[in-house]
Amino acid sequence: MTPILARNLRATFIQQMDKDYAVACRSRGLPESYIFSRHVFWNSLLPTVNLLGVVVAFLIGGTVVVENVFNIPGLGNLLIRGVLTHDQFVVQAVSLLLAVGVVISNFAVDILTAILDPRVTL
């Protein structure tokens, strides 16, 4: 998933470098490093952080498939065994743990977004 995040970050950098505020900073004679570090970098982080939250949720869900395919003992393998043996309590417990992981990762992304962008309120 790293190439997806890197490509998104690069595309956002390129997009932000062409915005009006970057052009205005260049017209004032500010160096590119200053424009990038003070303006472009922080504005480019927001979409990438939100994409990171989606990727983390995807990876948590993907553990079920990976653990089953490679026979790795873990929550995903336990979930599959619980489904196959009709053990409802195990399925509910593992599903709850995976859902809590997704909710916590989304909450962390929301907090990080609120820290990076003061316009966002929780």
Side-chain angles (χ1 to χ4, degrees), residues 9-71:
L9 186 61
R10 180 182 180 276
T12 310
F13 282 155
I14 292 169
Q15 181 184 16
Q16 293 294 322
M17 289 298 278
D18 293 334
K19 293 283 186 170
D20 289 338
Y21 65 86
V23 173
C25 289
R26 275 190 214 96
S27 68
R28 290 185 198 148
L30 295 174
E32 288 291 324
S33 61
Y34 180 82
I35 297 169
F36 183 79
S37 65
R38 292 289 184 153
H39 300 287
V40 172
F41 180 73
W42 296 108
N43 288 331
S44 298
L45 277 182
L46 291 174
T48 306
V49 166
N50 289 326
L51 181 63
L52 178 66
V54 173
V55 167
V56 167
F58 176 75
L59 289 175
I60 289 173
T63 59
V64 175
V65 175
V66 171
E67 289 177 3
N68 191 28
V69 168
F70 293 107
N71 200 18

Side-chain angles (χ1 to χ4, degrees), residues 53-102:
V54 173
V55 167
V56 167
F58 176 75
L59 289 175
I60 289 173
T63 59
V64 175
V65 175
V66 171
E67 289 177 3
N68 191 28
V69 168
F70 293 107
N71 200 18
I72 300 171
L75 288 177
N77 203 357
L78 181 64
L79 180 67
I80 296 295
R81 272 193 269 135
V83 168
L84 294 176
T85 59
H86 302 291
D87 193 356
Q88 295 176 357
F89 296 118
V90 170
V91 172
Q92 287 176 351
V94 174
S95 298
L96 181 67
L97 285 175
L98 294 176
V100 165
V102 170

